[in-house]
């Protein structure tokens, strides 16, 4: 199949593309940096610098939309928050315009979202049917999803993948956490009781693969493992796998001072369950945190 991917040079996108290449798909990657695309993928990739370069007779069977400016790299000033929104919502709107102009529409749009869709839920469990609590991340995800769902009016099947904290080698949250924990300087954040809904990278890739192949799948799915953990448990488990202590907690007031509004990403609590995936008999390779971390850190 012919597949267009945005965000293909990111942590998740790279792994997804490497899988799709083994299946002989023709992959086009939207990126301003063609050299980076060529350096990451040796064969079978066509770089695309601008969506406007696509003509109406261009056809893709599937579009996978993972693009977005990093949400945790810089303090959330008003300007940074606008960049975060535009890189997701405006790009998605541009994709919909491209789909509208295509003479032959794609069969499927898989569009990124995040469990930030639910807002801070405390200890309450959240499924795809749960209500949300407004904050910046929640509004961002809601608007992002709404932009993607516009493809349905063109007959396109839309799957929204509400991603939790993705665990994998060479990227994601672990890349940020490993050094202090390896040095024995890790610990819980705040009171440690906030819930963390995680997923192994391999399971995330498997979810995307099922979405591609199973035409029954449509709408929003929580891409999280079936056993979320508190931040305290996550910290203790990571330290255990690394055989290091985890005795240096970071108080909430320090995080709030350092990060400002962005501290909601680490102090907010989201106990998210993948109810729809379970109902559709998706089999997770990694359901528990310690085996997931052990597998990743053995690489």
């Amino acid at each position: 199949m012919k597949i267009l991917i945005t965000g293909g040079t990111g942590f998740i996108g790279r792994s997804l593309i490497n899988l799709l290449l083994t299946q002989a798909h023709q992959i086009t990657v939207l990126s301003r940096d063609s050299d980076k695309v060529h350096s990451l993928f040796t064969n079978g990739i066509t770089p695309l610098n601008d969506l406007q370069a696509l003509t109406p007779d261009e056809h893709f069977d599937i579009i996978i939309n993972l693009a977005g400016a990093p949400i945790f790299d810089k303090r959330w000033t008003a300007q940074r928050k606008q960049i975060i929104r535009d890189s997701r919502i405006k790009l998605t709107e541009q994709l919909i315009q491209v789909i509208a102009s295509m003479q032959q529409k794609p069969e499927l749009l898989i569009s990124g979202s995040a469990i930030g869709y639910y807002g801070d839920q405390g200890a309450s469990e959240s499924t795809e049917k749960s209500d949300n609590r407004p904050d910046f991340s929640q509004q961002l995800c809601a608007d992002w999803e709404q932009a993607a769902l516009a493809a349905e009016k063109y007959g396109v099947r839309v799957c929204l993948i509400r991603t939790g904290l993705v665990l994998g080698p060479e990227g994601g949250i672990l890349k940020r956490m490993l050094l202090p924990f390896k040095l024995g300087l890790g610990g819980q954040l705040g009171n440690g009781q906030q819930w963390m809904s995680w997923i192994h990278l391999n399971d995330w890739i498997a979810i995307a693969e099922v979405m591609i192949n199973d035409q029954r799948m449509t709408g929003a799915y929580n891409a999280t493992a079936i056993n979320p953990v508190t931040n305290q448990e996550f910290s203790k488990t990571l330290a255990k796998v690394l055989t290091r202590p985890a005795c240096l907690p970071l108080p909430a007031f320090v995080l709030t001072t350092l990060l400002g509004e962005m501290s909601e990403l680490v102090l907010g609590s989201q106990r998210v369950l993948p109810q729809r995936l379970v109902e559709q008999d998706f089999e997770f390779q990694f359901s528990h945190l310690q085996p997931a971390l052990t597998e990743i850190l053995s690489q």
Side-chain angles (χ1 to χ4, degrees):
M1 290 187 288
K2 293 187 65 178
I3 302 176
L4 170 64
I5 300 181
T6 74
T9 60
F11 167 53
I12 297 174
R14 295 195 306 267
S15 294
L16 177 59
I17 288 173
N18 285 328
L19 170 71
L20 295 174
L21 287 175
T22 67
Q23 300 170 351
H25 297 297
Q26 299 177 51
I27 309 295
T28 297
V29 176
L30 178 67
S31 174
R32 297 191 187 96
D33 191 344
S34 298
D35 290 338
K36 184 176 181 180
V37 173
H38 286 303
S39 68
L40 288 172
F41 311 105
T42 54
N43 296 304
I45 296 291
T46 302
L48 175 67
N49 293 323
D50 189 344
L51 286 175
Q52 302 304 316
L54 295 175
T55 59
D57 60 352
E58 187 75 59
H59 171 65
F60 296 99
D61 300 290
I62 296 168
I63 297 176
I64 302 175
N65 179 29
L66 304 177
I71 200 167
F72 201 75
D73 276 21
K74 299 179 181 178
R75 194 180 179 93
W76 284 357
T77 63
Q79 181 181 18
R80 182 62 185 173
K81 287 164 73 172
Q82 193 62 50
I83 290 171
I84 289 170
R85 284 184 57 85
D86 289 350
S87 65
R88 289 162 172 77
I89 298 162
K90 282 194 173 182
L91 177 62
T92 302
E93 291 172 344
Q94 291 170 6
L95 278 174
I96 301 305
Q97 292 172 3
V98 169
I99 290 172
S101 69
M102 287 178 169
Q103 296 170 1
Q104 184 178 353
K105 312 300 185 191
E107 300 168 10
L108 169 66
L109 169 63
I110 297 176
S111 193
S113 184
I115 59 171
Y117 175 86
Y118 300 103
D120 186 349
Q121 294 284 344
S124 300
E125 293 182 344
S126 297
T127 71
E128 290 87 353
K129 295 181 180 179
S130 297
D131 293 332
N132 49 48
R133 296 185 179 181
D135 57 25
F136 171 70
S137 298
Q138 186 279 322
Q139 193 62 57
L140 170 69
C141 293
D143 292 345
W144 194 9
E145 291 186 7
Q146 197 60 40
L149 287 170
E152 291 182 330
K153 65 184 177 183
Y154 301 108
V156 178
R157 178 168 64 94
V158 177
C159 288
L160 305 169
I161 187 160
R162 291 177 180 163
T163 300
L165 299 169
V166 182
L167 307 181
E170 301 179 2
I173 187 173
L174 275 184
K175 186 176 182 180
R176 299 178 181 278
M177 297 179 71
L178 274 182
L179 181 58
F181 272 81
K182 284 181 175 180
L183 294 174
L185 302 176
Q188 69 188 40
L189 303 178
N191 65 16
Q193 297 309 300
Q194 66 272 35
W195 285 85
M196 300 174 66
S197 297
W198 59 277
I199 186 168
H200 193 291
L201 177 60
N202 290 357
D203 280 326
W204 193 100
I205 299 300
I207 292 168
E209 188 175 15
V210 173
M211 287 177 171
I212 289 171
N213 294 318
D214 188 345
Q215 295 186 358
R216 298 173 302 168
M217 294 187 74
T218 185
Y221 291 84
N222 293 331
T224 58
I226 59 177
N227 292 299
V229 297
T230 64
N231 176 262
Q232 182 181 67
E233 183 178 351
F234 190 101
S235 301
K236 288 182 176 179
T237 304
L238 178 56
K240 180 179 180 180
V241 173
L242 292 170
T243 63
R244 295 289 190 275
C247 54
L248 289 175
L250 266 178
F253 79 89
V254 173
L255 290 163
T256 303
T257 301
L258 291 174
L259 303 177
E261 185 183 359
M262 192 168 63
S263 63
E264 69 185 39
L265 294 177
V266 293
L267 296 175
S269 181
Q270 293 167 329
R271 191 178 183 180
V272 179
L273 302 178
Q275 180 173 307
R276 294 195 68 204
L277 289 172
V278 171
E279 290 173 350
Q280 294 186 224
D281 299 320
F282 179 83
E283 295 186 9
F284 286 86
Q285 184 180 355
F286 296 95
S287 298
H288 295 278
L289 180 62
Q290 185 168 331
L293 290 175
T294 299
E295 191 275 340
I296 292 165
L297 295 174
S298 68
Q299 298 182 40

